[in-house]
Amino acid sequence: MDNSFFISSLLDNDFYKFAMQNAVIKLFPLVKAKYEFINRGKHFFPKNFSNVLEKKINNMINLKLSYKEKIFLKKSCPCLDNSYIDFLDKYQYNPKEVKIEQKGKFIKIIIEGLWSKIILWEVPLMSTISELYYKLTGTKRLSDKIITISTKKKIKKYKELKVKVGEFGTRRRYSYHVHKLIMKILMKEGKSLFAGSSNVHLSKTFSMKPIGTIGHEWVMFHAAKYGFNSADRIAMENWINIYNNKLGIALSDTYTSKIFFKNFNKKLSNIYEGVRHDSGNPISFINETIKHYKKFKINPNKKKIIFSDNMDPFKVKCISSFCKGKITPLFGIGTNFTNDVGVHPMNIVIKMTEIFIKKKWISVVKLSNSKEKSTGNKKMIFFAKKRLHL
């Protein structure tokens, strides 16, 4: 295997994908789904890119959970029960679930199959696309030495701010090598501030517990099944039914934070440790969150907000300063760690687009607090906005 730009472990994926897969298996094991690649940055792909990508995907059939990885999951991820880890022990990627086409400089990718099986494709597929793109276009990065110096400077700033940061950069990393290098630096230089990585494989490599929250697809599915108005609430309730008070960070922007807070009732506000901000103005969101907690006579200082919307040292400084004495901030740093290497990071996503329930395919959409982050069928987006009075 060419491990220089290849997924070499079944666990080279974000923790929240495994947590969601576990929940899907338990509650919605027979639901079929479709995902699509979205080229937000309108990147031009080189000739034969799809053929090389297909070979990499075909090789992923060989990935199996090792005995040591299984033991790591049992020790470090107690929220994942033994029955799920046994499922993962037998899990195998099926390349037939992924269809790739290339027309000129653009690629089209559709993933289709049982939601419980195909849910793991998104993150490793995106990181492979990103790494392969730089490899095949001959895009050179900064040296390891310069990346190390730059990362150390960021860590120094975060230490001065006395904030906690996590590494969330698997999906759009420049390469696996760079990702591992960043983790080494964080482990060595940033122990006092480093909350962990969302990447399960690298967490195992550096003997850390992986961290993570939840993905938009969980709420998007619930909207298609139960309706847009109650999707956030039912999604949160189902999550709590699986994980009790573990993994208790609520995702706030699938159908805008306005709709989220309507669903985030007193019971859920008390149960959940905090919320994640992933789009829109962070300062407005902080004020909105604090006001919401106070309405239920909940002390905001005992709650958290995880900020994961394109974070960098400047944004972290502004947000942490505003949060001081009001609410506890944590920061999920993605691309600014794993692809701040002197190249233009790719602006790509893979999103769920349809689910098969009630004997038909139903479009799923995400509205977001930022218009450019909304995804899905335009007619369904219009319908969703109408139902939600947005």
Side-chain angles (χ1 to χ4, degrees):
M1 288 184 200
D2 179 6
N3 288 331
S4 63
F5 64 111
F6 187 64
I7 306 296
S8 59
S9 165
L10 186 69
L11 297 185
D12 191 0
N13 205 327
D14 281 337
F15 174 69
Y16 80 107
K17 278 290 178 177
F18 297 109
M20 283 196 295
Q21 185 181 45
N22 177 41
V24 172
I25 289 166
K26 285 181 168 52
L27 298 180
F28 312 108
L30 301 178
V31 169
K32 289 180 185 173
K34 283 182 191 175
Y35 294 75
E36 283 187 34
F37 170 74
I38 301 166
N39 184 1
R40 280 181 182 160
K42 302 285 188 289
H43 304 283
F44 290 157
F45 289 90
K47 194 178 178 182
N48 290 327
F49 183 91
S50 60
N51 295 334
V52 183
L53 178 61
E54 207 165 291
K55 285 176 186 173
K56 295 295 170 198
I57 287 168
N58 288 339
N59 277 335
M60 285 176 68
I61 198 170
N62 299 313
L63 299 176
K64 291 284 288 175
L65 193 73
S66 73
Y67 176 73
K68 285 182 179 178
E69 287 173 332
K70 190 174 179 179
I71 296 303
F72 172 77
L73 288 177
K74 286 186 175 185
K75 285 184 178 177
S76 301
C77 310
C79 60
L80 302 177
D81 58 50
N82 287 336
S83 63
Y84 170 67
I85 295 173
D86 287 341
F87 165 85
L88 207 57
D89 193 29
K90 296 177 179 67
Y91 180 85
Q92 204 172 20
Y93 280 108
N94 179 3
K96 290 177 182 176
E97 293 163 345
V98 185
K99 299 284 184 287
I100 309 167
E101 282 179 36
Q102 181 163 1
K103 288 184 180 177
K105 294 179 177 180
F106 292 99
I107 59 168
K108 183 180 180 181
I109 302 172
I110 293 174
I111 307 162
E112 183 180 336
L114 277 175
W115 187 21
S116 60
K117 295 284 183 73
I118 66 172
I119 194 168
L120 292 188
W121 275 112
E122 176 195 347
V123 176
L125 190 49
M126 279 183 66
S127 58
T128 301
I129 291 166
S130 182
E131 188 157 359
L132 202 52
Y133 175 81
Y134 297 120
K135 185 89 172 176
L136 296 184
T137 55
T139 311
K140 301 296 180 191
R141 63 172 174 88
L142 299 170
S143 69
D144 284 7
K145 188 179 178 182
I146 294 172
I147 292 168
T148 302
I149 292 165
S150 168
T151 306
K152 283 181 179 179
K153 282 180 182 175
K154 290 174 195 172
I155 291 168
K156 190 184 174 192
K157 287 177 185 174
Y158 295 141
K159 278 182 178 175
E160 287 165 1
L161 293 170
K162 294 179 181 173
V163 295
K164 288 278 184 186
V165 302
E167 182 280 303
F168 283 13
T170 305
R171 293 186 303 162
R172 299 181 194 93
R173 65 192 182 195
Y174 178 88
S175 68
Y176 174 79
H177 172 84
V178 168
H179 196 172
K180 195 173 181 181
L181 174 66
I182 296 297
M183 282 289 289
K184 276 183 186 172
I185 302 162
L186 282 164
M187 287 297 293
K188 190 179 176 184
E189 305 287 333
K191 278 188 178 177
S192 61
L193 62 90
F194 187 36
S197 170
S198 63
N199 186 291
V200 185
H201 161 66
L202 287 170
S203 294
K204 178 189 173 293
T205 302
F206 292 96
S207 303
M208 288 193 83
K209 184 179 177 176
I211 58 171
T213 56
I214 192 169
H216 293 97
E217 66 191 273
W218 182 252
V219 187
M220 289 159 71
F221 162 79
H222 280 77
K225 187 167 175 63
Y226 302 106
F228 292 105
N229 281 291
S230 58
D232 279 304
R233 177 181 57 78
I234 300 172
M236 284 187 276
E237 286 170 352
N238 277 337
W239 193 251
I240 286 296
N241 288 340
I242 296 287
Y243 292 112
N244 298 316
N245 59 347
K246 298 165 189 169
L247 307 182
I249 298 294
L251 185 55
S252 64
D253 69 332
T254 314
Y255 298 109
T256 74
S257 53
K258 177 187 172 184
I259 301 302
F260 166 77
F261 283 117
K262 282 183 182 177
N263 280 270
F264 200 36
N265 57 36
K266 187 174 183 177
K267 180 188 170 186
L268 292 169
S269 296
N270 272 299
I271 291 171
Y272 276 81
E273 285 179 64
V275 295
R276 176 154 76 97
H277 172 269
D278 197 50
S279 63
N281 185 305
I283 304 302
S284 301
F285 182 78
I286 295 162
N287 285 329
E288 203 176 354
T289 305
I290 290 168
K291 185 182 172 185
H292 177 82
Y293 282 129
K294 284 183 175 176
K295 180 179 79 176
F296 292 131
K297 295 183 170 55
I298 296 168
N299 183 356
N301 268 312
K302 292 184 177 177
K303 296 293 183 179
K304 301 170 185 171
I305 303 179
I306 295 182
F307 296 91
S308 59
D309 184 17
N310 198 20
M311 289 291 108
D312 59 36
F314 176 74
K315 288 179 184 174
V316 170
K317 185 180 179 181
C318 294
I319 292 167
S320 62
S321 172
F322 191 79
C323 285
K324 210 164 191 179
K326 300 171 187 169
I327 197 162
T328 304
L330 286 94
F331 300 91
I333 319 278
T335 309
N336 190 254
F337 270 150
T338 60
N339 204 346
D340 185 19
V341 296
V343 305
H344 284 293
M346 298 195 82
N347 187 2
I348 56 173
V349 292
I350 291 173
K351 288 290 178 189
M352 180 191 274
T353 53
E354 291 178 79
I355 60 160
F356 191 79
I357 51 171
K358 297 168 189 172
K359 297 182 180 178
K360 62 179 179 179
W361 285 102
I362 298 173
S363 293
V364 297
V365 297
K366 174 191 165 198
L367 296 184
S368 181
N369 292 319
S370 306
K371 195 179 178 183
E372 69 276 6
K373 281 193 162 191
S374 296
T375 62
N377 178 288
K378 285 181 181 178
K379 284 182 181 176
M380 188 59 86
I381 287 174
F382 177 79
F383 175 71
K385 285 182 174 178
K386 196 174 177 183
R387 289 302 300 265
L388 295 167
H389 305 292
L390 295 172

